[in-house]
Amino acid sequence: MDESKQPLIGLNREQLGQELQSVGVPAKQARMRVNQLWHWLYIRGVDDFDEMLNIGKDLRTELRQKYTIGHPEIVEEQISADGTRKWLLRFPPRGAGAPVEIETVYIPETDRGTLCVSSQVGCSLTCTFCHTGTQKMVRNLTAEEILGQIMLARHRLGDFLGMDSDPGIIAPLEGRKISNVVMMGMGEPLFNFENVKQALLIALDNDGLCLSRRRITLSTSGVVPGIYRTGEEVKVMLAISLHATRDELRDVLVPINRKYPLEKLIEACRAYPGLSNARRITFEYVMLKGVNDSLRDARELVELLAGIPAKINLIPFNPWPGTQYECSEWKTIEKFAAYLNDKGLPAPIRTPRGRDILAACGQLKSESKKLLAKQDLPLVEG
Ligand code: SAH
Ligand code: SF4
């Protein structure tokens, strides 16, 4: 990607209209041109201005001089034995600093295909069981970089309409490889709210990528004000990294709990708009041996979540070098799940995917850590 040029991906329709006018498109035509561009960017997924057939040659030349389309650069693509794919992507520096690398993971299942998207390089939080938490926060990803992960994955998986199909056609919803998007990669999405919001609103656009609100899930460690804003401004599905049922334990596992304790977090969950049995909040719960995996914990979980349309994702802990934690015994996890299911709380056990390519939760690495050591960038607070 040419770093001196502004990428078009990630701009909303209004911003795109302003950019078009800045290269001489008359105000009256701007709307029509925005629609054309939008189609090429988000329905066809083109990565070359010359493919934009109904845009005149002169305008294409103008656009090419000032902008790039903005598909990310792939450093590496890995495919696991179970079909999971992982891309290592490189983004140019923003202002001062070095290029950064992040990972995006695609997980195919029988009834869906889920893309796991990152929101930051590193994370400013320090959850003690999470590998990302041990890494420095480098920077927020821009809206274009967040959206670019979806664009790139769709491109690689063949989800965009081919160039040979009728230009009047809107992308079919059936048969897409990526049906679901989860903001569960690296970073805390609610500490990068504006960019995450902008990217998701573009991904939801009915005349573009057309993802469904019920099939996008934003996962947060519990940034309470951001949960309220998500419910009002983005309205996607919510996942909470809960991991503990008591403040004293959650303070250690998920230290942001000291700022937003369980009572405030649960209050925000109860108030989340549009909840029903078909639209539940997912509570993620990592199973840590001897730490949070007793039947007492299971009982407290049921009490804590009483009355909230909820589902618990039980995640077997993925160990990493240097961690003090161990994964619970399989039979303990099964007992824990059985207790919750018995009390009417659906509690699927998430089987790790893509183990051979290190694609599981909390294993996404940050190459930029090495770059950072050289550059010695200051810490960025969320
Ligand atoms: N920062 C956000 C989203 C990214 S983490 C959040 O914390 O919600 C995605 C999920 O993976 C979170 O629930 C996180 O707690 C969990 N996770 C992190 N490290 C893990 C590990 N080593 N094993 C299992 N799950 C882990
Ligand atoms: Fe950051 Fe989420 Fe990891 Fe906590 S679990 S350190 S919030 S990425």
Side-chain angles (χ1 to χ4, degrees):
M1 199 190 301
D2 185 338
E3 292 159 25
S4 61
K5 297 180 183 176
Q6 150 98 49
L8 293 182
I9 284 176
L11 300 178
N12 60 29
R13 287 171 187 272
E14 195 188 341
Q15 293 165 330
L16 211 48
Q18 283 158 7
E19 294 297 336
L20 284 171
Q21 290 184 53
S22 80
V23 295
V25 171
K28 274 198 207 146
Q29 272 186 27
R31 207 185 143 116
M32 181 258 299
R33 291 284 181 210
V34 166
N35 288 341
Q36 288 175 333
L37 259 180
W38 203 262
H39 177 91
W40 293 115
L41 294 177
Y42 297 116
I43 289 186
R44 302 279 162 165
V46 303
D47 56 3
D48 183 343
F49 287 106
D50 277 338
E51 290 179 84
M52 301 182 171
L53 299 176
N54 57 0
I55 295 182
K57 220 170 162 205
D58 293 348
L59 181 54
R60 272 189 261 154
T61 308
E62 290 279 349
L63 289 174
R64 195 180 304 100
Q65 274 168 8
K66 194 166 166 201
Y67 305 100
T68 62
I69 289 181
H71 284 200
E73 177 193 345
I74 306 179
V75 180
E76 200 181 346
E77 179 178 67
Q78 284 179 284
I79 305 179
S80 156
D82 69 11
T84 301
R85 287 187 192 222
K86 187 170 84 167
W87 294 276
L88 180 64
L89 306 178
R90 180 178 297 139
F91 295 117
R94 304 279 167 196
V100 292
E101 289 179 352
I102 57 112
E103 289 178 331
T104 305
V105 176
Y106 172 70
I107 305 152
E109 289 172 277
T110 42
D111 60 338
R112 69 183 69 180
T114 305
L115 190 71
C116 181
V117 170
S118 295
S119 57
Q120 298 181 312
V121 187
C123 186
S124 60
L125 297 177
T126 52
C127 304
T128 42
F129 58 89
C130 174
H131 192 38
T132 309
T134 65
Q135 299 168 6
K136 273 190 188 175
M137 163 70 177
V138 181
R139 70 166 169 86
N140 282 333
L141 292 177
T142 62
E144 162 230 338
E145 291 164 341
I146 295 164
L147 197 63
Q149 297 171 62
I150 305 178
M151 302 291 291
L152 179 278
R154 280 185 74 146
H155 196 70
R156 295 295 301 153
L157 294 167
D159 263 358
F160 283 118
L161 267 190
M163 286 303 289
D164 47 358
S165 49
D166 180 341
I169 283 181
I170 297 289
L173 296 180
E174 297 296 320
R176 283 183 182 180
K177 296 256 178 11
I178 300 170
S179 57
N180 294 44
V181 168
V182 293
M183 296 299 306
M184 290 187 189
M186 216 189 271
E188 168 48 59
L190 296 185
F191 275 165
N192 185 14
F193 185 83
E194 293 301 338
N195 292 342
V196 168
K197 173 183 166 185
Q198 170 119 341
L200 293 185
L201 292 182
I202 294 174
L204 287 166
D205 187 292
N206 279 336
D207 297 318
L209 292 173
C210 200
L211 282 158
S212 151
R213 276 211 152 77
R214 306 173 63 140
R215 289 173 174 272
I216 296 185
T217 304
L218 184 147
S219 173
T220 176
S221 56
V223 183
V224 166
I227 295 175
Y228 286 103
R229 285 194 68 187
T230 304
E232 279 158 29
E233 300 172 40
V234 201
K235 302 182 175 72
V236 290
M237 305 295 284
L238 188 65
I240 304 286
S241 293
L242 190 63
H243 308 314
T245 54
R246 280 162 271 130
D247 280 325
E248 50 174 353
L249 178 58
R250 199 165 187 271
D251 281 350
V252 175
L253 297 179
V254 188
I256 199 172
N257 193 68
R258 292 185 215 141
K259 187 157 184 195
Y260 304 113
L262 280 166
E263 196 192 336
K264 296 281 173 222
L265 177 60
I266 297 299
E267 201 174 286
C269 290
R270 276 187 208 288
Y272 200 75
L275 293 184
S276 67
N277 279 344
R279 282 175 63 94
R280 294 167 187 256
I281 296 181
T282 302
F283 290 89
E284 293 154 285
Y285 197 92
V286 64
M287 297 299 294
L288 303 169
K289 188 176 185 171
V291 175
N292 65 355
D293 62 352
S294 70
L295 282 181
R296 173 189 166 197
D297 293 292
R299 201 175 51 240
E300 288 177 355
L301 202 48
V302 174
E303 285 163 14
L304 188 69
L305 303 182
I308 302 178
K311 173 183 133 182
I312 319 272
N313 259 350
L314 295 175
I315 316 175
F317 171 63
N318 288 306
W320 36 273
T323 178
Q324 52 174 320
Y325 298 108
E326 284 175 78
C327 183
S328 307
E329 303 286 341
W330 191 252
K331 60 176 191 314
T332 312
I333 302 180
E334 283 188 329
K335 264 199 223 159
F336 201 94
Y339 181 90
L340 299 176
N341 283 316
D342 194 47
K343 298 285 175 195
L345 262 181
I349 303 170
R350 279 234 307 247
T351 43
R353 299 288 304 266
R355 275 220 155 141
D356 48 341
I357 57 168
L358 290 179
C361 297
Q363 286 189 330
L364 300 192
K365 65 173 176 176
S366 171
E367 275 297 311
S368 51
K369 203 183 152 201
K370 287 184 219 148
L371 295 170
L372 190 75
K374 277 187 236 149
Q375 304 280 324
D376 205 25
L377 290 176
L379 263 179
V380 182
E381 289 301 326

